[in-house]
Amino acid sequence: MNHTLAELQSGVAPAADPTVKIAVKGLDFFYGDFQALTDITCDIRDNAVTAFIGPSGCGKSTFLRCFNRMNDLIIGTKHAGLITLDGQDIYAPGVDPVDLRRRIGMIFQQPNPFPMSIYDNVAYGPRLHGMKKKADLDEVVETSLKRANVWKEVKDILGRGGLTLSGGQQQRLCIARVLAVQPDVLLMDEPCSAIDPTSVQKIEDLMAELKSSVTIIIVTHNMQQAARVSDETAFFLQEVMGEPAMLVEFGRTAEIFTSPKDKRTEDYITGRFG
Amino acid sequence: MRENFRQEMRDLKVSVLDIGRSIVDVTKLSVKALVEGDVDLAEQVIANDDDIDTRCLAIEEHSLEIIATQFPVARDLRLLHSLGYIAMHFERMGDLGVNISKAARRTASRRGPQTLYDLIQAQGNLVHRVLEAMLEALEKNDLELARKLQDLDEPIDHLFKQFFRELARLQDEEDIEWASSMVLASRYLERIADHAVDIGDRITYMVTGQFEAPPEEEA
């Protein structure tokens, strides 16, 4: 559901809308003195895939990392504005970033399995959260690997090191590792740019399957991928070097890729710049 | 910058416009053949139709190749899809021109009342005007002109009805085959203009990204 800025500012709360998983209002973000994002307002819908697109350096990844407070780990960063998850301010005092990151999992461009067995990679999170019984762990490992579309390939080699797998398999193992702790939201930062086409296909398939239970946000430079996998698309742009990036257009993916409303969106997706 | 792709799209549009000009010629020549009873000219138009069909098919093939390899989106996608759609209309308009020429072939052996030839020539001139306007709108992405095509089409429909009334006055039974060929020719002309109006709607979509609702049919 789209909201006008006036509606958002007047307090017609998108958080009250059950279809909204994450609501962002007037977000500014700074690296030291440099303002990277300005006045971002948008709703991320539940049970949907949202794609962030835009030229390099337009703040997509910065914005993505605000959702699980990964930017907190970088010294000198600060933000203004509000981000809510299920209506709760994620930057409120008392919110534990570690617990937040369990609810909002993240997948990176380069697969990063732990140097341990496939089984232990997936069981790592549940164990950390206190799961001890082997039968429970077995079940969560199998379910997570199945949801990550990699079970068939690894079910007979669960004791083998995660790093022995191919890049694409490693990436799906990392997805299984995130899914094992039952996140509400999955952030994917260019998850397919370093892996083989078959794995890309499998990851795109699993996104379609997962979205009924997990809200997915993907940053991608591959516009065909954004068009294929997402329900909604957000286009970010830094118009002037040194100035902060902004959210130019946010709407239904089918509409963005056939009849975008903003000329800058149109020029970018048709390859006229960027 | 996708310069090769841009050029490919421009070339494709030029090819479609060229077919459009051939359609203008087909319409003009088939009306001339009908009015002047020129069987040779009619045969020429009929023989030329294969060439138009081949060129329309080439547009479709080329569009498919571009879709498969270039992943066009937004205005590029709308242009590409619309050009394919317009080429399909042209192919049908060409067929209608052929039908007029076949009517010319059937009617050439006898001469009917001059009023009817004058009427069909007038109708042909109006259709010619609609076709020229449609091609200009397509070439220049002229939204205003595209939206005007509907108005330009109206008198053509009236002329068809008038033509029909004039024919109904013919008494001689021997005239029936001749008359039915003539009324069909008038109908084909009217249909050619209708296709041009549909193309106008498509140009509007191509430019704006919005499908505009067709005006209500008169009761």
Side-chain angles (χ1 to χ4, degrees), chain A residues 45-118:
Chain A
R45 275 204 303 120
D46 198 7
N47 302 125
V49 177
T50 301
F52 291 173
I53 62 170
S56 294
C58 71
K60 318 178 283 286
S61 296
T62 297
F63 187 42
L64 193 74
R65 287 196 300 263
C66 289
F67 295 140
N68 65 348
R69 294 181 52 175
M70 283 278 286
N71 291 322
D72 291 12
L73 307 173
I74 303 168
I75 294 165
T77 58
K78 60 176 189 290
H79 80 282
L82 184 66
I83 301 179
T84 61
L85 172 66
D86 291 332
Q88 304 299 311
D89 180 1
I90 64 164
Y91 282 93
V95 171
D96 176 5
V98 176
D99 184 53
L100 180 72
R101 288 177 204 136
R102 184 201 63 75
R103 292 187 65 195
I104 304 185
M106 190 157 188
I107 299 296
F108 302 87
Q109 183 174 357
Q110 288 297 335
N112 54 354
F114 300 141
M116 52 180 74
S117 72
I118 293 167

Side-chain angles (χ1 to χ4, degrees), chain B residues 10-80:
Chain B
R10 279 193 289 268
D11 292 347
L12 192 70
K13 186 168 172 181
V14 167
S15 304
V16 171
L17 283 165
D18 283 346
I19 300 174
R21 297 217 170 80
S22 298
I23 297 301
V24 174
D25 291 343
V26 164
T27 310
K28 223 188 319 186
L29 294 176
S30 55
V31 171
K32 187 171 155 64
L34 185 76
V35 171
E36 295 177 5
D38 188 337
V39 177
D40 288 344
L41 187 57
E43 294 293 357
Q44 224 175 294
V45 171
I46 294 165
N48 189 45
D49 189 49
D50 282 350
D51 174 58
I52 290 178
D53 288 354
T54 307
R55 285 155 68 200
C56 289
L57 194 63
I59 298 294
E60 194 179 344
E61 282 174 348
H62 197 176
S63 299
L64 281 174
E65 279 170 22
I66 295 177
I67 289 169
T69 56
Q70 298 287 346
F71 186 63
V73 294
R75 79 179 100 147
D76 296 331
L77 179 65
R78 299 201 303 270
L79 172 62
L80 196 58

Side-chain angles (χ1 to χ4, degrees), chain A residues 224 257-259 266-267 272, chain B residues 1 6 71 74-75 78 209:
Chain A
Q224 300 181 37
F257 282 92
T258 53
S259 309
E266 176 129 34
D267 285 347
R272 283 168 171 85
Chain B
M1 289 297 188
R6 296 267 103 77
F71 186 63
R75 79 179 100 147
R78 299 201 303 270

Side-chain angles (χ1 to χ4, degrees), chain B:
Chain B
M1 289 297 188
R2 308 167 74 187
E3 200 34 57
N4 291 340
F5 169 62
R6 296 267 103 77
Q7 191 55 48
E8 216 173 345
M9 295 288 279
R10 279 193 289 268
D11 292 347
L12 192 70
K13 186 168 172 181
V14 167
S15 304
V16 171
L17 283 165
D18 283 346
I19 300 174
R21 297 217 170 80
S22 298
I23 297 301
V24 174
D25 291 343
V26 164
T27 310
K28 223 188 319 186
L29 294 176
S30 55
V31 171
K32 187 171 155 64
L34 185 76
V35 171
E36 295 177 5
D38 188 337
V39 177
D40 288 344
L41 187 57
E43 294 293 357
Q44 224 175 294
V45 171
I46 294 165
N48 189 45
D49 189 49
D50 282 350
D51 174 58
I52 290 178
D53 288 354
T54 307
R55 285 155 68 200
C56 289
L57 194 63
I59 298 294
E60 194 179 344
E61 282 174 348
H62 197 176
S63 299
L64 281 174
E65 279 170 22
I66 295 177
I67 289 169
T69 56
Q70 298 287 346
F71 186 63
V73 294
R75 79 179 100 147
D76 296 331
L77 179 65
R78 299 201 303 270
L79 172 62
L80 196 58
H81 182 69
S82 300
L83 288 178
Y85 192 88
I86 290 167
M88 194 181 74
H89 274 292
F90 282 167
E91 195 263 327
R92 292 181 185 169
M93 291 157 91
D95 290 346
L96 290 167
V98 165
N99 288 345
I100 296 170
S101 282
K102 285 182 179 166
R105 203 164 56 181
R106 287 196 301 271
T107 54
S109 58
R110 78 181 270 129
R111 196 73 196 158
Q114 187 57 35
T115 339
L116 293 175
Y117 292 109
D118 291 346
L119 268 178
I120 209 147
Q121 183 61 61
Q123 200 187 7
N125 292 345
L126 290 174
V127 171
H128 183 223
R129 195 170 67 144
V130 173
L131 294 181
E132 289 289 355
M134 176 270 291
L135 282 181
E136 191 181 335
L138 176 59
E139 185 172 7
K140 298 178 178 162
N141 293 332
D142 187 333
L143 207 53
E144 210 176 314
L145 194 53
R147 284 173 174 151
K148 236 175 79 180
L149 293 175
Q150 183 82 47
D151 297 338
L152 292 177
D153 178 51
E154 250 174 54
I156 297 169
D157 298 344
H158 292 313
L159 271 184
F160 170 66
K161 283 172 192 157
Q162 192 184 339
F163 192 84
F164 201 78
R165 280 195 300 271
E166 291 288 335
L167 276 173
R169 287 190 199 156
L170 294 178
Q171 301 292 326
D172 191 343
E173 279 189 18
E174 284 174 38
D175 282 335
I176 286 178
E177 195 189 337
W178 181 89
S180 56
S181 287
M182 289 299 275
V183 82
L184 278 174
S186 175
R187 174 76 176 151
Y188 297 142
L189 268 177
E190 189 247 327
R191 289 294 304 141
I192 289 176
D194 286 347
H195 279 286
V197 172
D198 283 351
I199 292 174
D201 292 343
R202 185 52 57 154
I203 295 167
T204 306
Y205 167 70
M206 196 172 90
V207 176
T208 64
Q210 305 297 321
F211 288 107
E212 290 182 4
E216 299 265 321
E217 286 280 330
E218 281 173 44

Side-chain angles (χ1 to χ4, degrees), chain A residues 29 40 46 70 94 99 110 130 159 163 180 182 196 214 244 247 257 267:
Chain A
F29 187 83
I40 310 269
D46 198 7
M70 283 278 286
D99 184 53
Q110 288 297 335
L163 289 161
Q182 309 273 337
D196 65 282
V214 185
L247 175 60
F257 282 92
D267 285 347

